[in-house]
Amino acid sequence: MRAFRYILAFLMVTVVACGGDRTGDRVAGPASPDTPVSPATPTSLGQTFESDIQLAKKLTEDYWTQTFSASGLTYRPITDFVPYQGQNGPDCGGQPSVPNNAFYCPAGHFIAYDESWMRGLYDQMGDGSVYVIIPHEFGHAVQAQLNSGFNLNVERELQADCYAGGTLGALVKGGTLQAEPGDEDELLINLAAAGDPTDDWLRPDAHGTAAQRQEVFVKGYNGGTAAC
Ligand SMILES: [Zn+2]
């Protein structure tokens, strides 16, 4: 589909949960050895953090545009995609953004991310972090457009994880992104929860266990976002 292909750094995949407690969901451990998600190593194409961020946004919105269209719906692109540094992020519904986070703001239909934090993850874990965090946040934008209702915040977060997996899976299956086979034992999903500074009804300590989050991510990856 494009002049170049990407290989995801699935050796370590970061899934961001919005809503608070960063330590509650932080996990560093191997996924189940039978997980079908294949790890890979980054390409040597010399891609930069900035270009990966923008490409992750574009590919994710392309995916959802096509997916909405296939259902007779019209995807509404986010209004803004805002990098910030630490404390200087945009407000969302009157609440300030917080450092070390990425979030979707329903009030403004935009996504914002702490650029330094994201760059740190990128440098430590490779581009896979970007290609999971950004689709996760777009998952929340999709939930807003579909008026998805949830009784618990954990349901919202787990579906966003599933959407992220489904988006990545579709991009890999479509050839836009490429993952290498093998080395399943090395697959590591590092769930780093970061606080969403948004709605009061969000339960900040409820994102799902590491096992649940890995499970739904893989479920989306293999079954597509329709399975979420
Ligand atoms: Zn989230």
Side-chain angles (χ1 to χ4, degrees):
M1 293 173 67
R2 285 174 168 57
F4 47 83
R5 311 183 99 187
Y6 281 78
I7 297 176
L8 294 178
F10 266 121
L11 289 175
M12 298 186 76
V13 175
T14 297
V15 179
V16 161
C18 313
D21 185 9
R22 297 196 59 220
T23 57
D25 284 335
R26 182 173 287 277
V27 171
S32 60
D34 59 347
T35 177
V37 179
S38 299
T41 53
T43 63
S44 57
L45 295 175
Q47 294 304 311
T48 63
F49 168 75
E50 289 82 1
S51 67
D52 273 322
I53 284 278
Q54 293 302 321
L55 189 63
K57 171 187 181 294
K58 172 177 171 40
L59 293 179
T60 302
E61 290 215 288
D62 286 351
Y63 168 77
W64 283 114
T65 298
Q66 295 163 10
T67 300
F68 271 56
S69 178
S71 298
L73 303 172
T74 300
Y75 173 78
R76 187 162 60 95
I78 58 171
T79 60
D80 208 352
F81 192 57
V82 187
Y84 65 91
Q85 306 288 340
Q87 306 281 357
N88 73 356
D91 289 356
C92 176
Q95 296 193 50
S97 60
V98 298
N100 303 328
N101 191 31
F103 66 94
Y104 166 71
C105 178
H109 191 48
F110 66 83
I111 287 172
Y113 57 95
D114 184 329
E115 186 174 34
S116 297
W117 171 70
M118 289 277 285
R119 187 187 297 273
L121 294 175
Y122 183 91
D123 290 342
Q124 294 169 23
M125 303 180 184
D127 54 1
S129 57
V130 166
Y131 285 100
V132 173
I133 293 169
I134 299 302
H136 174 99
E137 300 307 334
F138 274 102
H140 289 312
V142 166
Q143 290 168 339
Q145 295 185 61
L146 295 178
N147 296 312
S148 305
F150 301 93
N151 292 321
L152 300 172
N153 183 57
V154 65
E155 296 172 339
R156 179 182 300 274
E157 293 303 327
L158 289 175
Q159 189 186 57
D161 287 339
C162 186
Y163 278 166
T167 301
L168 276 174
L171 293 172
V172 169
K173 290 165 190 168
T176 305
L177 299 171
Q178 189 172 357
E180 291 179 341
D183 293 334
E184 282 83 357
D185 289 348
E186 292 185 24
L187 177 65
L188 189 67
I189 297 180
N190 181 16
L191 303 171
D196 258 350
T198 53
D199 305 322
D200 289 337
W201 55 264
L202 289 174
R203 289 177 39 176
D205 57 346
H207 311 126
T209 66
Q212 287 174 325
R213 303 191 63 198
Q214 290 174 339
E215 181 181 353
V216 296
F217 182 88
V218 172
K219 174 184 176 184
Y221 189 92
N222 291 324
T225 52
C228 298

